[in-house]
Amino acid sequence: MALFNIFNRKKNEEQNVGPQVQTTHTDDERQANENTVEQTPVKAEQLAEEQTDAREPVEQPVVTTDPQNSQPVAETPTEEPKKKGFFRSFFSREKKETLDQGLEKTKQGVFAKIAHAVAGKSTIDDDVLDNLEEVFITSDVGVDTTLKIIDRIQKRVAKDKYVGTSELNDLLCDEITQMLADNNNVGMEDFTVPDEKKPYVIMVVGVNGVGKTTTIGKLAYQFKQAGNKVVLGAADTYRAAADEQLEIWGQRVDVPVIKHKMGTDPASVAFDAVASAKAQNADVVIIDTAGRLHNNVGLMRELTKIKDVMRKVLPDAPHEVLLVLDGSTGQNAFEQAKQFVAATEVNALAITKLDGTAKGGVVIGISDQFQIPVKYIGLGEGMDHLQVFRREEFVRSLFGK
């Protein structure tokens, strides 16, 4: 009986040992299991995030909150509005292409003449300088400005000791750019106005046929694109349909135009335009004036009257007297500028129609001779073909850089 009990006890021990062996793990396996248990929640969270990201669409509407009812409002993504400041001052590839195309005729003429001037020469000697002088004079840069450029080149060659003709274009770019900087052609941001001068009043003057009204329309477009509120004043009350022409531009660019009947005193139109701009809290008001010859004493005196009347609304108006010149007229543009500067306080220039002429050198000459900054240049018929004048980009484009 005792032997039977011993046998049963041994059999039970063997049965108990079986399950223990199956569930027993080494220390390494036990540690691995513990790590698996600890990491399982983290993997589950990451998997949930990955699944959530995979379900998200590529583009979703922007959701904002309506301040009145605090309800989410879905907005369709739209093109980012154009900004003021640094971002608008960036000279984009499109602007560079427009500038290059607009100066193509002038560039071809200058390049061909300079290439002929240095033909067979390895250094910049007196013969090369004489030829360069002829190049710039025949490119409508003007005699006085040409002599300044040649003098700068001579001093630079003397300073650098040896300058080859292969370096001539770079040398010309540097010296002409610096000369324009000396003439108050400071870089400005794209179509911005000083915050402390509001509304900023621009009075536009010039003879008939230079593109004055068209320039005003393009200015209004560009200022509005830059985020400014613009008002136009049709103070050209002498020329038939002048106010209708400006009103058409106002409709195209969606800005208000203040006008009176034909024959009305231009000063009263300018007064109402400035007063309206001030009441509307506008940023810019542009006043169109009648085209006049520089030798018409009566019309030139009228500009003084317009300025005096506007000052009853804004004591420092106009902030800018913009003289528009046709670049294709070459030396005639010099004479117009000379007479207008003598008759009124011109402090900015716009030179138009540069795309249709090989006389783009007039920009350099006029700016230098009258020490008045060129602010805008017209490079074509498109709305965006009126550009802020950037001296460095202009000169580099002129020399094919």
Side-chain angles (χ1 to χ4, degrees):
M1 187 68 178
L3 182 61
F4 180 75
N5 290 335
I6 292 172
F7 175 78
N8 286 337
R9 185 167 63 250
K10 186 175 182 180
K11 183 178 181 180
N12 291 334
E13 289 175 355
E14 291 176 351
Q15 291 177 349
N16 291 334
V17 170
Q20 289 176 358
V21 172
Q22 292 177 356
T23 57
T24 300
H25 301 280
T26 65
D27 291 340
D28 293 339
E29 291 174 340
R30 188 181 301 109
Q31 183 65 31
N33 289 338
E34 290 175 358
N35 291 338
T36 303
V37 172
E38 291 176 357
Q39 294 175 2
T40 300
V42 177
K43 291 182 178 180
E45 292 175 0
Q46 293 176 348
L47 180 59
E49 291 177 356
E50 292 173 358
Q51 291 175 347
T52 302
D53 293 339
R55 290 193 301 267
E56 290 180 355
V58 176
E59 293 184 4
Q60 288 185 335
V62 180
V63 178
T64 59
T65 302
D66 189 336
Q68 296 181 354
N69 54 26
S70 299
Q71 295 295 325
V73 179
E75 295 180 354
T76 303
T78 57
E79 182 180 355
E80 184 179 354
K82 296 188 177 181
K83 302 176 181 179
K84 298 181 181 181
F86 171 78
F87 296 100
R88 291 284 294 143
S89 65
F90 178 71
F91 196 64
S92 66
R93 182 177 62 183
E94 291 77 10
K95 292 178 182 177
K96 170 65 173 171
E97 291 174 352
T98 299
L99 180 61
D100 290 342
Q101 292 172 4
L103 295 178
E104 185 63 29
K105 291 184 178 180
T106 299
K107 182 167 57 178
Q108 288 178 354
V110 171
F111 261 142
K113 292 174 182 177
I114 291 179
H116 179 72
V118 300
K121 299 287 185 178
S122 59
T123 59
I124 300 176
D125 55 18
D126 289 341
D127 289 339
V128 170
L129 292 175
D130 288 341
N131 291 337
L132 281 179
E133 183 175 318
E134 182 179 351
V135 167
F136 287 118
I137 290 176
T138 56
S139 298
D140 286 281
V141 173
V143 175
D144 292 338
T145 302
T146 295
L147 294 177
K148 284 185 181 181
I149 295 173
I150 298 300
D151 183 60
R152 282 176 171 268
I153 298 298
Q154 285 178 322
K155 291 179 179 178
R156 182 73 174 270
V157 171
K159 177 183 176 182
D160 296 345
K161 301 303 180 183
Y162 179 86
V163 178
T165 54
S166 60
E167 305 169 79
L168 182 59
N169 280 354
D170 291 336
L171 188 61
L172 288 170
C173 281
D174 292 344
E175 294 304 322
I176 295 175
T177 299
Q178 184 57 49
M179 186 177 68
L180 289 173
D182 295 342
N183 298 334
N184 301 318
N185 282 284
V186 295
M188 63 173 287
E189 296 177 353
D190 261 4
F191 299 96
T192 56
V193 293
D195 293 334
E196 67 276 8
K197 297 178 180 179
K198 189 174 181 179
Y200 187 76
V201 181
I202 303 174
M203 185 173 74
V204 183
V205 301
V207 303
N208 285 324
V210 296
K212 186 162 48 64
T213 305
T214 300
T215 298
I216 291 173
K218 292 179 180 180
L219 279 174
Y221 170 78
Q222 296 281 24
F223 275 119
K224 186 177 179 182
Q225 288 294 102
N228 298 290
K229 187 174 183 180
V230 184
V231 173
L232 301 181
D236 182 358
T237 59
Y238 293 116
R239 182 167 60 91
D243 55 345
E244 286 85 353
Q245 183 183 0
L246 191 64
E247 191 170 22
I248 291 172
W249 272 105
Q251 293 172 356
R252 288 181 65 183
V253 302
D254 192 26
V255 298
V257 177
I258 308 301
K259 68 173 188 175
H260 290 181
K261 294 181 179 179
M262 185 176 176
T264 305
D265 183 2
S268 66
V269 180
F271 178 90
D272 289 347
V274 176
S276 176
K278 186 177 181 180
Q280 297 179 48
N281 198 31
D283 298 294
V284 185
V285 55
I286 308 174
I287 307 297
D288 186 17
T289 62
R292 62 203 71 217
L293 294 175
H294 46 263
N295 56 7
N296 189 321
V297 178
L299 287 177
M300 296 302 284
R301 287 177 179 172
E302 183 183 77
L303 294 176
T304 302
K305 179 181 177 182
I306 293 174
K307 289 189 288 186
D308 291 341
V309 170
M310 287 192 294
R311 286 170 181 159
K312 294 180 180 179
V313 182
L314 290 176
D316 55 347
H319 304 103
E320 185 174 307
V321 178
L322 180 66
L323 173 61
V324 181
L325 298 169
D326 181 352
S328 66
T329 60
Q331 290 302 305
N332 190 38
F334 273 89
E335 186 62 26
Q336 292 176 21
K338 180 180 178 180
Q339 298 299 331
F340 269 95
V341 169
T344 189
E345 299 173 357
V346 175
N347 57 11
L349 299 173
I351 302 182
T352 65
K353 306 181 183 181
L354 293 175
D355 57 307
T357 181
K359 300 179 179 181
V362 72
V363 174
I364 300 170
I366 289 178
S367 175
D368 174 64
Q369 288 301 298
F370 300 104
Q371 299 291 298
I372 298 174
V374 177
K375 291 194 72 173
Y376 312 106
I377 51 176
L379 301 166
E381 297 180 357
M383 287 277 207
D384 56 350
H385 288 173
L386 181 74
Q387 288 190 2
V388 168
F389 178 70
R390 296 174 174 83
R391 61 179 184 272
E392 184 173 356
E393 285 80 0
F394 177 86
V395 176
R396 289 181 64 83
S397 178
L398 197 62
F399 287 93
K401 300 293 184 181

